[in-house]
Amino acid sequence: MSFSFGQVLLILLIVGVAVGAFFLIRRQRYVRSLRAQGWTFEGSPTLVTAYGLNCPPFGLGYKRKIDDLISGSTSSGVPFAVFEYNSLGYVAALVLPRPLPELYLGETPRPGVEGRQKVVGRWTATAKDAAWAEAALAAILGPVEAMAAAGHRVDLSVDGTRLVALGVPREALAMRGFLEALAPVAHSLADAALASYQAPAPPSELSLYQRPDWVYRPADDQFLGEVVINGGGYGHEARDVVLGTVQGIRMIALTHNWKTDRTETSTDSNGNTTTRTVTDNHSEEILEFHLPWRFGDLSVNWPGWGNRVRFESSDFDRAFKVRSPQPKFASDVFHPRQLEFLLRAQPLPFAIESGRVRFALGDNTPERIIHCADFLVAFFAGVPGFVWADLGHTQPPISRELDGF
């Protein structure tokens, strides 16, 4: 028996509708099971759900996605939010009465975290403050052991004003059991005995791990007007925007995307000419620091402007091309110790012009942005005091070199 092309299409359409209906019904049943627990469900939540969460897995990278938000309270009155985060499955965030220092506890260290590790029985704890870790572990180990004995995964973190747990079961009854086992850990962290370890308030928006005072926005086109961008074209947009202040210096990092159109003409073998419009997509990575105080113009390995200034170090001149319209100013800034510093630091190409510092970022990653920010502070800290005085500053705006450079 053979089928015509139209019959095959009809069969495929019927199968597709049946499969879609199956998944729709299953989804509706799942949502009803969650609401039957007295919880609320939101199928398309925004990233606002993750505001204030800045410890791994949060605060890392840019591609952040949230799905399926379930909200409610445990039987002991601890408010919670459970949501799907990136590809990690469901995570739970239970509300704490006060912000507490960073802490992680699980069978293995959580990727991306920083701090001192301590093995406590079957668990590995990670924290930057040893005294806080000791006090917190003394308070929570009992309920943590009970949680594990009940068969629940233990992969916990204290993140500002929330206790975060990975590995939350998806099904409603199993999720309830997990949350009820987790609630005593939250109650232990809320104990007045730990109040002296209160931490600063968590970020008000999305941020970057280790830079909680910086702001990360997946998109915000308003900042295109505040940085130097490639003009022309259309469809300009700013993605992966990072905003911050470094030693009083305002910072803007973003990826600038835009489009241009061009016309292509082709001729076939019969001499017929065809014209079509082709759209090209463009992208550039931007990192700028806007100085709140006066500084001269110069560049390092930046193409195309200013006179090259040479130095007594042949190693430095081979590695770096310094240009400036004021050679004496550049010579004063790049004294022997500064030359040695740049050779160690190996910075990305940068230019300082009219109070604007621009880096040739290459890739707009948090790691590169942090490295450039730290380098810039150390670079300005290495400028001699008489240079600042010649610029009209009674005191150097930055006078402390950053650790690590």
Side-chain angles (χ1 to χ4, degrees):
M1 181 178 180
S2 61
F3 295 94
S4 67
F5 179 71
Q7 289 173 319
V8 171
L9 285 180
L10 179 59
I11 292 172
L12 291 175
L13 177 61
I14 293 172
V15 170
V17 170
V19 171
F22 169 78
F23 282 107
L24 177 61
I25 293 171
R26 190 173 73 169
R27 174 74 166 178
Q28 291 174 337
R29 287 176 177 172
Y30 175 62
V31 173
R32 284 199 298 269
S33 72
L34 295 171
R35 289 174 173 159
Q37 305 297 318
W39 304 334
T40 61
F41 176 84
E42 185 178 349
S44 299
T46 67
L47 281 167
V48 171
T49 301
Y51 280 13
L53 294 171
N54 197 44
C55 298
F58 310 103
L60 300 177
Y62 294 147
K63 306 305 178 185
R64 307 180 191 182
K65 182 181 178 182
I66 285 180
D67 202 2
D68 285 3
L69 172 62
I70 302 124
S71 305
S73 295
T74 66
S75 61
S76 58
V78 182
F80 70 82
V82 172
F83 51 90
E84 189 173 5
Y85 186 75
N86 287 355
S87 59
L88 295 175
Y90 280 1
V91 303
L94 276 63
V95 176
L96 300 173
R98 68 184 72 90
L100 294 171
E102 186 177 352
L103 175 70
Y104 305 87
L105 186 68
E107 292 191 354
T108 58
R110 189 176 293 179
V113 306
E114 296 185 10
R116 298 177 180 179
Q117 293 181 3
K118 180 179 180 179
V119 177
V120 185
R122 62 188 287 193
W123 315 113
T124 297
T126 307
K128 295 174 183 174
D129 184 336
W132 152 247
E134 291 287 344
L137 290 174
I140 68 173
L141 274 180
V144 165
E145 293 289 358
M147 183 178 176
H152 300 298
R153 176 181 169 184
V154 174
D155 190 346
L156 312 178
S157 59
V158 178
D159 191 343
T161 56
R162 281 178 275 186
L163 168 66
V164 174
L166 308 188
V168 181
R170 185 177 184 276
E171 297 305 317
L173 291 179
M175 184 184 295
R176 175 173 284 282
F178 183 94
L179 293 170
E180 293 299 328
L182 184 60
V185 181
H187 284 297
S188 297
L189 289 168
D191 193 277
L194 298 179
S196 62
Y197 294 99
Q198 186 164 327
S204 59
E205 293 188 43
L206 298 179
S207 188
L208 300 184
Y209 182 50
Q210 303 299 348
R211 293 295 193 277
D213 56 324
W214 292 5
V215 172
Y216 166 64
R217 295 177 184 170
D220 196 333
D221 296 345
Q222 67 174 311
F223 291 97
L224 290 175
E226 300 188 32
V227 295
V228 177
I229 64 172
N230 195 315
Y234 63 96
H236 296 270
E237 60 181 21
R239 295 292 182 266
D240 294 331
V241 180
V242 179
L243 310 170
T245 301
V246 183
Q247 295 282 323
I249 305 170
R250 185 170 179 242
M251 179 193 75
I252 302 174
L254 56 85
T255 297
H256 169 217
N257 300 323
W258 75 101
K259 299 177 181 180
T260 57
D261 292 338
R262 56 187 171 85
T263 301
E264 282 190 354
T265 302
S266 60
T267 304
D268 62 21
S269 58
N270 297 320
N272 299 316
T273 300
T274 303
T275 300
R276 68 189 185 103
T277 299
V278 177
T279 298
D280 293 322
N281 295 300
H282 308 273
S283 182
E284 62 179 343
E285 316 295 343
I286 293 173
L287 173 59
E288 290 190 4
F289 296 84
H290 299 169
L291 304 181
W293 23 259
R294 184 184 173 199
F295 199 78
D297 293 351
L298 57 84
S299 70
V300 175
N301 287 345
W302 193 269
W305 65 270
N307 300 313
R308 183 169 183 183
V309 181
R310 297 184 182 274
F311 302 89
E312 293 183 1
S313 170
S314 57
D315 289 341
F316 182 86
D317 282 342
R318 279 193 297 269
F320 300 104
K321 294 180 180 178
V322 175
R323 293 182 172 88
S324 175
Q326 302 169 297
K328 182 181 182 305
F329 171 74
S331 296
D332 291 340
V333 170
F334 290 93
H335 53 86
R337 189 162 173 248
Q338 191 82 299
L339 302 185
E340 294 174 1
F341 163 64
L342 263 74
L343 285 168
R344 292 196 312 272
Q346 292 295 310
L348 296 173
F350 68 96
I352 305 174
E353 186 175 17
S354 301
R356 186 189 302 262
V357 185
R358 301 164 62 197
F359 279 87
L361 197 56
D363 292 317
N364 178 16
T365 65
E367 294 76 17
R368 285 206 170 192
I369 295 171
I370 291 171
H371 183 270
C372 290
D374 290 349
F375 162 79
L376 191 64
V377 172
F379 171 78
F380 283 129
V383 174
F386 74 88
V387 174
W388 293 115
D390 290 345
L391 291 168
H393 303 288
T394 56
Q395 294 290 333
I398 295 178
S399 58
R400 180 181 63 86
E401 290 196 36
L402 214 64
D403 293 338
F405 279 106

